[in-house]
Amino acid sequence: MVEVKNLTKFYGSIKAVDDISFTVETGEVLGFLGPNGAGKSTTMNMITGYLSSTSGTVTIDGCEILDDPIHAKSKIGYLPEIPPLYIDMTVKKYLEFMFDLKKVKLPKKEHIDEVMRLTKITEQADRIIKHLSKGYRQRVGLAQALLGNPPVIILDEPTAGLDPMGVSELMHLLRDICENEGTTIIMSTHDIDVVPIYSDYVYVINHGKLLTDGTPEEVFSNP
Ligand code: ADP
Ligand code: MG
């Protein structure tokens, strides 16, 4: 579903991402683990087409992101590290606004209701985003990423700043969405406790390079 080949990014003379290659199969949850500065956000911004690579390619469902960015981007829902929330809007107004912005071609009311149901924010629909807890704001960010039913969801440090309960709730939501909707999920984290429990497959990255990969059991049983 997602194929990353020899991806490299320089910021001036800084090599932030160094020849990374990997593939993610349909319906898989991929965990991207590494410390701050490892190159996770840079990689995700290249996968989503928000940043061009210095070299290398990203193919989403057979469609290369730089060849056909509009088509490839329509297959991706993205929750960046800092969620793009308009905090003075209500949850519902915000999702309606993002629905229009993304030019989603589905029945508006039904689809927004469905996305709020999947992310369990239906009861928050008329609340102003800035009055919500961090956990609920993250769910609104996730709801925004799900608009248009993209087959791939990319989440950059979705659990940062959440308490353990919030982490567990968000991860269970993601697993449900993955299992029920067949969505492919790529999430990054610097939290070693989150990835092993909830990912099907893990890539560990540092200094822009892949250090190791495997199932959580394989990666974390190695000394
Ligand atoms: P992570 O998300 O894993 O914390 P990043 O992808 O944000 O890592 O950063 C990787 C490296 O690239 C770091 O050394 C960071 O300082 C550098 N970097 C990130 N964004 C920029 C930028 N816009 N300009 C210059 N350097 C950057
Ligand atoms: Mg980051």
Side-chain angles (χ1 to χ4, degrees), residues 2-210:
V2 179
E3 189 177 14
V4 170
K5 257 197 199 153
N6 307 111
L7 208 56
T8 297
K9 178 72 184 180
F10 278 93
Y11 292 114
S13 60
I14 299 171
K15 205 181 212 181
V17 172
D18 188 0
D19 196 26
I20 283 187
S21 301
F22 61 87
T23 55
V24 195
E25 304 300 335
T26 302
E28 190 172 73
V29 178
L30 179 89
F32 212 43
L33 176 69
N36 290 328
K40 302 182 299 295
S41 296
T42 302
T43 303
M44 293 185 136
N45 279 321
M46 290 191 284
I47 296 174
T48 53
Y50 282 90
L51 194 65
S52 59
S53 58
T54 304
S55 59
T57 56
V58 176
T59 311
I60 312 283
D61 201 12
C63 183
E64 204 185 312
I65 193 115
L66 294 180
D67 282 354
D68 191 353
I70 294 173
H71 187 213
K73 276 188 189 176
S74 72
K75 293 177 181 290
I76 301 176
Y78 185 29
L79 179 58
E81 199 162 8
I82 299 165
L85 298 174
Y86 295 95
I87 58 169
D88 291 319
M89 286 184 176
T90 64
V91 169
K92 198 168 168 186
K93 282 267 177 300
Y94 168 69
L95 291 174
E96 287 169 358
F97 174 77
M98 293 305 287
F99 180 102
D100 293 342
L101 197 70
K102 292 185 175 193
K103 301 192 172 72
V104 177
K105 290 178 185 62
L106 291 165
K108 190 167 176 175
K109 185 183 178 307
E110 287 80 355
H111 184 53
I112 289 176
D113 285 349
E114 168 71 0
V115 158
M116 289 197 296
R117 186 186 65 75
L118 283 173
T119 52
K120 300 201 169 90
I121 53 172
T122 305
E123 278 161 25
Q124 270 61 41
D126 296 318
R127 295 188 67 192
I128 293 171
I129 294 173
K130 70 179 169 198
H131 296 157
L132 297 177
S133 67
K134 171 98 184 155
Y136 272 107
R137 284 191 203 192
Q138 265 317 53
R139 292 198 210 175
V140 176
L142 176 61
Q144 160 280 132
L146 291 173
L147 288 171
N149 294 334
V152 180
I153 301 283
I154 296 187
L155 308 125
D156 195 355
E157 306 251 10
T159 60
L162 299 185
D163 59 28
M165 189 69 160
V167 171
S168 155
E169 282 173 2
L170 185 68
M171 290 296 113
H172 280 110
L173 270 183
L174 286 177
R175 276 248 75 109
D176 285 350
I177 289 166
C178 185
E179 275 154 28
N180 300 330
E181 314 291 309
T183 308
T184 304
I185 294 176
I186 303 179
M187 62 171 176
S188 74
T189 181
H190 63 267
D191 182 354
I192 205 156
D193 294 328
V194 172
V195 171
I197 314 174
Y198 299 103
S199 304
D200 297 313
Y201 204 80
V202 178
Y203 279 95
V204 183
I205 149 173
N206 199 10
H207 302 301
K209 282 186 198 284
L210 285 179

